[in-house]
Amino acid sequence: MSREKERSRAVKNQAGLERIPSLDALLIRPEIAALSGRYSRSLVVQAGREILADLRAGFSARRRSNDLPEASEIASRIVAAVERAVSPSLRPVINATGVVLHTNLGRAPMAIAAADYVRATATLYSNLEFDLATGARGKRDVHTSRLIARLAGAESALVVNNNAAAVYLVLAALARGGEAIVSRGELIEIGDGFRIPDIMAESGAILREVGTTNRTRLADYERAANKRTRLILRVHRSNFRVVGFAAQPSLKELALLAKKAKVPFYEDLGSGCLVDLREYGIDEPVVRESFKAGASIVSFSGDKLLGGPQAGIIAGKGELIARVRRHPMFRALRVDKLTIAALEASLLEYLRAPQAASAVPTVRMIQTPAADVARRCENVIQTLKQTLESVKPERRLPEIQMIKTTAVVGGGSTPGQTLPSHAIVISKAAISPAELETRLRNGPKGIPVIARVERNRVILDLRTVFPEQEAALIDSLVAVFAG
Ligand SMILES: *Cc1c(COP(=O)(O)O)cnc(C)c1O
């Protein structure tokens, strides 16, 4: 570039940059001055600096001064930046994916009663570790142990941060320095790099792998048992299935073998299913059945099928639970009062509800008959169509219909099993399905809508949408199509 050209460009650039108002000039504008009553000056100044820096950077990149926004527009960007800065990043969304336990969408939504109870106990002092009867120091476990033991049919129970922590702690407390026998067909990865063999290595237990990927026989376990054996482990295949030429011993057989070898039989159940969901097509082992079959100790998640907060629940024989609790790592993995409050209240819902905890959203979503989902779909479609027609948008309206779909439990439980469901399907819109999915995800009415795109159509499965979110879903769709 010639020196002449460079100079003229610099002059123009300078002229453009000078047209960007100063921060001081912006701060005294009424719309920004109005913020100072609600927010700290430093927050407003920081937002102002960021927006101005963005403008300068954008201008220097394009060097077209006629692109510069008006001062009022800059001011409203600053207002928006301040609002963004004080808004939480973690927000509610509408889950229209049809995946009941969607790990990326917070897994299990909790019962309202559980959230209320968290609020009631966490914003005040509580008897978390205080025995109200004696006035002496108490244990935080008491609030949940009794309930878990009762609902799971166990002698005693313990709660830690999550089930990954539970697996680690059980192995560290009961099998460290010795061998834990496990089938090669159960050396699983749960997701996000959580692998059973890695956890075992960290726990100090030596993995004694038996059998093959598809078939493991009782005799394989029998042959592996020796004086170094500390534990027999069964890991529930929670996110995959082995079909075809496959076999594994029953829980009963393994329990008997463990008894003969005088070691505990530990089952990592994955999902903590407290009620039988088989009549709804979900064949997930129920915790109680593991103990009936002879398991000495089990562990499962609080936020999978149980529908509570993130937690790892360890239940079983009193003597084993006591040993696990004495392990020094228990202190590092224990849960706080929010989790205890949420879990206790969630478990109480199971104890109260006569026909299996319909107050727990995960259970309710699974138990809802497909015909009910269909009826809700029809109602939503009718309201949506009426609203769209009444606002008479210029753009062509999309085709909106109901289809039969299949929802899944997800979240590391019940692989390959589906729930019959119904969805709103949107096709032939003026925008592409990908664009529609993006716009809904951006939350046109403040609440993001998470949809699926399948075969060039946007699909909204209502099984996982709360009835009280239907109005917001309709508003979002109207905003996208007629906004
Ligand atoms: C989900 C799962 C885990 C991990 O549980 P988190 O609560 O997510 O830590 C461990 N084992 C099995 C079999 C699981 O399905």
Side-chain angles (χ1 to χ4, degrees), residues 107 162-164 188 190 194 235-236 238 268 270 301 303-304 311 412:
R107 266 201 195 154
N162 58 12
N163 192 29
I188 61 172
I190 300 300
F194 172 73
V235 183
H236 179 51
S238 49
D268 170 16
S301 297
D303 59 348
K304 287 187 179 171

Side-chain angles (χ1 to χ4, degrees), residues 20 50 106 155 187 210 285 353 374 382-383 401 405 425 438:
I20 298 179
E50 278 166 19
E155 282 175 27
L187 293 173
V210 296
Q382 196 186 7
T383 313
Q401 287 158 321
T405 51
V425 56
T438 306

Side-chain angles (χ1 to χ4, degrees), residues 139-368:
K139 283 208 163 113
R140 60 179 63 203
D141 313 15
V142 300
H143 308 292
T144 47
S145 300
R146 173 185 60 96
L147 283 169
I148 298 165
R150 177 164 176 166
L151 290 163
E155 282 175 27
S156 182
L158 198 61
V159 183
V160 289
N161 180 59
N162 58 12
N163 192 29
V167 174
Y168 169 81
L169 196 62
V170 170
L171 293 173
L174 305 183
R176 178 174 221 104
E179 293 178 359
I181 307 178
V182 62
S183 159
R184 289 198 171 87
E186 297 167 15
L187 293 173
I188 61 172
E189 172 170 321
I190 300 300
D192 214 10
F194 172 73
R195 289 181 163 175
I196 290 289
D198 296 343
I199 293 281
M200 296 188 83
E202 287 298 323
S203 74
I206 297 156
L207 195 65
R208 187 66 194 261
E209 297 173 31
V210 296
T212 61
T213 307
N214 56 328
R215 286 174 78 89
T216 305
R217 295 184 188 80
L218 185 63
D220 296 322
Y221 288 86
E222 279 168 346
R223 238 176 288 126
N226 63 63
K227 61 182 189 314
R228 292 180 305 277
T229 306
R230 296 276 180 285
L231 189 101
I232 293 178
L233 170 65
R234 162 63 77 75
V235 183
H236 179 51
R237 292 167 175 161
S238 49
N239 54 5
F240 71 107
R241 283 201 305 178
V242 180
V243 292
F245 190 55
Q248 58 178 176
S250 69
L251 289 181
K252 264 206 180 102
E253 288 171 319
L254 287 182
L256 275 177
L257 176 63
K259 202 168 180 184
K260 257 199 274 167
K262 297 198 171 58
V263 295
F265 173 37
Y266 167 37
E267 187 179 20
D268 170 16
L269 277 163
S271 204
C273 195
L274 292 178
V275 292
D276 196 336
L277 294 169
R278 289 177 187 111
E279 67 175 290
Y280 306 98
I282 297 303
D283 189 2
E284 181 72 12
V286 178
V287 181
R288 197 170 265 286
E289 289 171 4
S290 293
F291 292 119
K292 278 213 193 100
S296 341
I297 189 163
V298 306
S299 72
F300 51 93
S301 297
D303 59 348
K304 287 187 179 171
L305 274 173
L306 193 150
Q310 179 191 302
I313 295 164
I314 305 169
K317 293 230 174 344
E319 174 262 324
L320 296 176
I321 297 296
R323 267 168 70 194
V324 173
R325 201 189 189 290
R326 279 198 301 272
H327 192 277
M329 280 303 286
F330 171 71
R331 180 64 170 75
L333 301 171
R334 72 175 192 181
V335 291
D336 82 327
K337 59 176 181 281
L338 307 187
T339 303
I340 290 177
L343 187 59
E344 181 175 20
S346 301
L347 293 168
L348 283 172
E349 292 295 341
Y350 280 93
L351 207 57
R352 283 197 201 109
Q355 15 53 318
S358 46
V360 175
T362 46
V363 176
R364 191 173 60 230
M365 280 177 185
I366 291 167
Q367 291 178 336
T368 302

Side-chain angles (χ1 to χ4, degrees), residues 118-129:
V118 169
R119 188 194 159 96
T121 52
T123 54
L124 301 168
Y125 295 105
S126 67
N127 63 336
L128 180 68
E129 290 184 352

